[in-house]
Amino acid sequence: MAFDIDKYTETSEKVAWQDLDFSDFRTNPLPEGTLRSLRYMCDIEYHTVCYLRDMLVTPSHKDEDVTAFMTMWNREEFWHGEALAAVLAEHDVIVDFDELKATRLKLGWKDRLDPVKQSLLGNIVGEGFIAVHMVWGAANEWSAVAAYNRLADLEQHPVLAELLRRIAKQEARHVAFYATQARERLGRSKRAQVLARFALKNFWGPVGSGVMTDAEVKHVMGHLMGGTEGRREAAKIDAHIARMPGLDGLTIVQDALDARGIAA
Amino acid sequence: MSGEHPSPVDTTPASPVAAARFDVRDFARTAVGSHRESIDLSVFEEDPLPLTVVQLLAYARELERSTMTYLRNVLVTPTHKDARVTAFLTTWAFEKYWIADSFEVVVRAHGVDPAEAETLSRFRAIALEIAERATPIVESFRANAIGTDVIGLHMASVAVDEWITEAAYTRLLADCPHAVLTPLLEHVLEVKARHRLFVDPDAERRLAESPRARSLARRALPRIDWPIGAASLARTDTALFYEQLIDDELARSIDAKAAELPGLEKLHLVQNARRAALENPGHPAARLGRSLGAAAATLAHTLRSTTKGGTNG
């Protein structure tokens, strides 16, 4: 199914939470482990602009549909950050821009070289790299949808669940964009398939790895993707990815869990 | 499009106090999205805009739409680390997207495809391609070596760019009163005025605080093809933009405003960009056309002078 970019941009909006009764968190506060996962998700959403940067250095930045999407996507994700920050604020966890800046500053040299590496690589292979960018984005967005829905199920907190479902719904639209683009572009080019397979297999990591500490990545993975139910969700994401042209047999999400010793 | 105009350049000095007051979160919350509903396209059937205005809007659409290319070069530098700046740029890009969209709708209503604004000669397209590929790499190495001082340069470049486009739209507003275009441009100017509330004082503060930021900006700003985005657009269109909307006096007044930013005295950014655009409007064919035109004019003049007795040359 084609993705209607005009319809997407026209209906893109910041996630709403003003109608939800957040004071409920004061009487029914969330447990420590959940706040830790929310904090992780909140930071990742705010850091979307860093991913935007990694993606813009590839030839994708000239495609009008892609840039239209990325403008809206970047803003929607920022608002997910704001919404989650509002939940955290009810628990007296304050996320401010200066602190986010400190996290970004801590990233150091690896981060500095990444866009250069991506640009060199992206420019050598040109157009084909847009496919990699798209399938990479799809994998991340599928993970996000799964994570938000899973947290909503796990926590069973009516206010939190409603907010997370709203966020997941927007993430699902991002999936639609990335997956449509990826399927088309991979379908057209054998070279793109080989490249995407290589990039995902060797370089993909759970959303947030590289920005957050390993301890935090492990906590969130264990919290949301651990156990039988969690593992089932991870397998579903892998199945989505494996259905892409040329990517059959890939199990990157489950491999990432195994590598971190997350129990099934 | 000439005549008497009040200066469209807001000469109010940027205040550092405003920087502290600008609430990025409130700006994000109240971002202005699509303008489509307020544009009554049927009016253009009765009262279409002149073709030149349509061309100018198509050009402006490209300028406003170039945020992702701009962010591409900005975000590979330490600027991306500043969460307050990136929060601003996120909403700024969103609002500019919809400004571009509103111009696109108007241009299309006149049967013109705005994508045609990008008609580069093959040679320039290849040169641009090479430059575009290299820029983020060069920027990344250069700016990461410089450090956070580069944010001052980036904010100053957004500031000057906003002044140019704002002046141009104000001029267009004065020159082309129209039932639909007038309220649209007024609205667009309101949206852009808010960008300046963040950008102007932020640029001023960052330049004032750091001699390195000032020297970096002094060196880098003259290398930009103003307005931002012009580098990847047809030179003939940039020439039209300056010819119709930014006369020398206006260019001078924008430069005077830029000169008020710390360390940016005597740069003549806009005057130089204007001169370059008007002196070299386009590819060799256009230049050939102009020389032929000039030759023909000289010939005609000589002929006239000869027939009249040749005293008024």
Side-chain angles (χ1 to χ4, degrees):
Chain A
M1 193 187 70
F3 182 90
D4 186 341
I5 189 68
D6 289 332
K7 195 172 161 212
Y8 170 67
T9 53
E10 275 165 36
T11 53
S12 168
E13 55 188 13
K14 50 184 192 280
V15 69
W17 70 87
Q18 289 74 10
D19 58 315
L20 302 175
D21 182 11
F22 272 25
S23 67
D24 193 43
F25 291 118
R26 292 281 167 185
T27 39
N28 293 306
L30 298 165
E32 200 56 43
T34 300
L35 290 176
R36 194 170 161 192
S37 293
L38 281 177
R39 175 64 214 254
Y40 182 96
M41 293 159 131
C42 175
D43 277 20
I44 296 309
E45 297 285 13
Y46 276 131
H47 291 318
T48 296
V49 72
C50 301
Y51 295 102
L52 173 71
R53 168 193 74 156
D54 286 355
M55 292 174 169
L56 286 175
V57 290
T58 73
S60 335
H61 79 280
K62 279 199 280 197
D63 185 304
E64 288 225 335
D65 283 2
V66 176
T67 53
F69 171 77
M70 298 218 280
T71 307
M72 301 300 145
W73 165 73
N74 182 42
R75 175 170 178 264
E76 284 183 14
E77 304 287 31
F78 168 82
W79 277 101
H80 296 168
E82 290 283 276
L84 298 175
V87 174
L88 292 164
E90 292 294 338
H91 296 80
D92 299 321
V93 179
I94 304 303
V95 184
D96 66 26
F97 291 150
D98 286 340
E99 207 187 333
L100 291 167
K101 181 175 169 181
T103 313
R104 290 181 196 172
L105 284 169
K106 267 189 289 188
L107 286 181
W109 271 106
K110 182 183 167 291
D111 169 62
R112 290 183 185 193
L113 291 175
D114 267 357
V116 179
K117 236 167 43 192
Q118 271 215 15
S119 184
L120 290 170
L121 185 62
N123 285 324
I124 289 162
V125 294
E127 277 286 307
F129 199 81
I130 304 182
V132 178
H133 164 181
M134 294 300 149
V135 73
W136 195 282
N140 286 352
E141 298 293 335
W142 269 316
S143 306
V145 175
Y148 283 120
N149 282 328
R150 178 99 179 103
L151 188 55
D153 290 344
L154 277 175
E155 207 48 60
Q156 294 284 324
H157 186 292
V159 178
L160 181 71
E162 175 58 26
L163 174 67
L164 297 183
R165 302 250 186 251
R166 287 180 190 180
I167 294 177
K169 223 166 155 181
Q170 292 197 335
E171 302 287 8
R173 298 215 304 168
H174 304 162
V175 167
F177 174 80
Y178 281 119
T180 309
Q181 285 270 341
R183 203 171 295 119
E184 263 172 35
R185 291 174 191 272
L186 289 172
R188 286 208 286 268
S189 156
K190 192 85 193 152
R191 208 162 80 140
Q193 292 176 20
V194 172
L195 191 71
R197 201 180 175 84
F198 174 79
L200 286 174
K201 207 172 155 72
N202 294 288
F203 300 112
W204 190 85
V207 189
S209 52
V211 188
M212 312 301 278
T213 63
D214 286 344
E216 292 313 298
V217 178
K218 218 173 147 180
H219 164 77
V220 175
M221 292 292 111
H223 185 193
L224 303 178
M225 299 285 161
T228 322
E229 282 296 311
R231 279 290 184 149
R232 193 174 300 148
E233 287 302 319
K236 273 193 217 165
I237 304 171
D238 279 336
H240 283 307
I241 297 166
R243 273 200 293 275
M244 287 283 162
L247 303 185
D248 52 302
L250 278 188
T251 51
I252 53 170
V253 182
Q254 293 168 89
D255 293 349
L257 294 174
D258 290 340
R260 285 170 180 79
I262 307 295
Chain B
M1 285 189 206
S2 56
E4 288 302 307
H5 294 281
S7 170
V9 179
D10 179 0
T11 49
T12 321
S15 149
V17 181
R21 281 202 199 125
F22 189 91
D23 184 344
V24 175
R25 286 192 147 133
D26 182 65
F27 170 56
R29 199 159 37 239
T30 53
V32 180
S34 177
H35 305 267
R36 287 190 185 204
E37 277 191 6
S38 60
I39 305 171
D40 183 357
L41 294 175
S42 64
V43 174
F44 294 119
E45 285 167 23
E46 294 291 310
D47 186 15
L49 295 168
L51 183 62
T52 308
V53 175
V54 174
Q55 280 176 298
L56 290 168
L57 287 174
Y59 183 78
R61 181 244 180 209
E62 297 297 328
L63 296 181
E64 300 289 350
R65 194 68 158 65
S66 68
T67 54
M68 288 295 127
T69 302
Y70 179 76
L71 286 184
R72 173 177 189 252
N73 298 329
V74 163
L75 291 175
V76 291
T77 71
T79 299
H80 86 276
K81 305 268 186 188
D82 193 311
R84 196 165 175 269
V85 171
T86 56
F88 169 78
L89 291 174
T90 294
T91 304
W92 168 83
F94 171 82
E95 292 196 327
K96 281 171 76 82
Y97 174 88
W98 286 114
I99 291 174
D101 179 76
S102 70
F103 293 162
E104 178 175 338
V105 167
V106 174
V107 170
R108 282 193 191 280
H110 291 79
V112 176
D113 182 355
E116 281 171 11
E118 224 171 330
T119 45
L120 298 181
S121 69
R122 198 156 162 265
F123 172 75
R124 229 183 127 221
I126 294 168
L128 183 69
E129 179 79 24
I130 295 167
E132 278 200 349
R133 288 183 176 207
T135 309
I137 302 170
V138 175
E139 280 301 313
S140 178
F141 280 117
R142 210 166 57 97
N144 283 306
I146 295 161
T148 48
D149 287 329
V150 80
I151 308 177
L153 161 66
H154 289 147
M155 286 298 115
S157 67
V158 176
V160 173
D161 187 58
E162 291 284 343
W163 299 341
I164 297 173
T165 47
E166 203 176 299
Y169 298 165
T170 306
R171 174 66 44 103
L172 185 58
L173 189 66
D175 285 347
C176 186
H178 183 277
V180 176
L181 185 65
T182 300
L184 174 64
L185 286 175
E186 282 170 353
H187 195 41
V188 163
L189 284 167
E190 275 169 34
V191 172
K192 291 178 84 72
R194 218 152 61 119
H195 297 170
R196 293 213 287 110
L197 288 181
F198 178 83
V199 174
D200 291 6
D202 198 73
E204 173 160 325
R205 178 180 61 81
R206 289 178 193 274
L207 294 176
E209 278 171 7
S210 159
R212 288 185 75 199
R214 290 198 291 277
S215 105
L216 180 66
R218 272 197 82 78
R219 275 180 290 127
L221 290 174
R223 288 204 293 265
I224 294 176
D225 273 328
W226 303 99
I228 292 174
S232 52
L233 296 168
R235 288 202 178 111
T236 41
D237 292 335
T238 304
L240 186 73
F241 173 80
Y242 281 107
E243 188 186 285
Q244 298 290 327
L245 300 176
I246 311 270
D247 58 23
D248 190 51
E249 191 192 335
L250 193 47
R252 213 179 289 271
S253 67
I254 302 168
D255 280 337
K257 195 167 162 58
E260 284 171 20
L261 284 173
L264 302 189
E265 306 80 15
K266 296 178 196 154
L267 277 188
H268 311 303
L269 300 171
V270 188
Q271 289 169 85
N272 288 344
R274 180 177 183 277
R275 197 171 309 124
L278 295 178
E279 276 171 8
N280 181 22
H283 41 74
R287 282 207 299 278
L288 180 68
R290 275 189 305 124
S291 357
L292 285 175
T298 315
L299 184 65
H301 181 77
T302 315
L303 285 173
R304 262 202 319 274
S305 308
T306 317
T307 42
K308 280 183 186 170
T311 52
N312 59 344

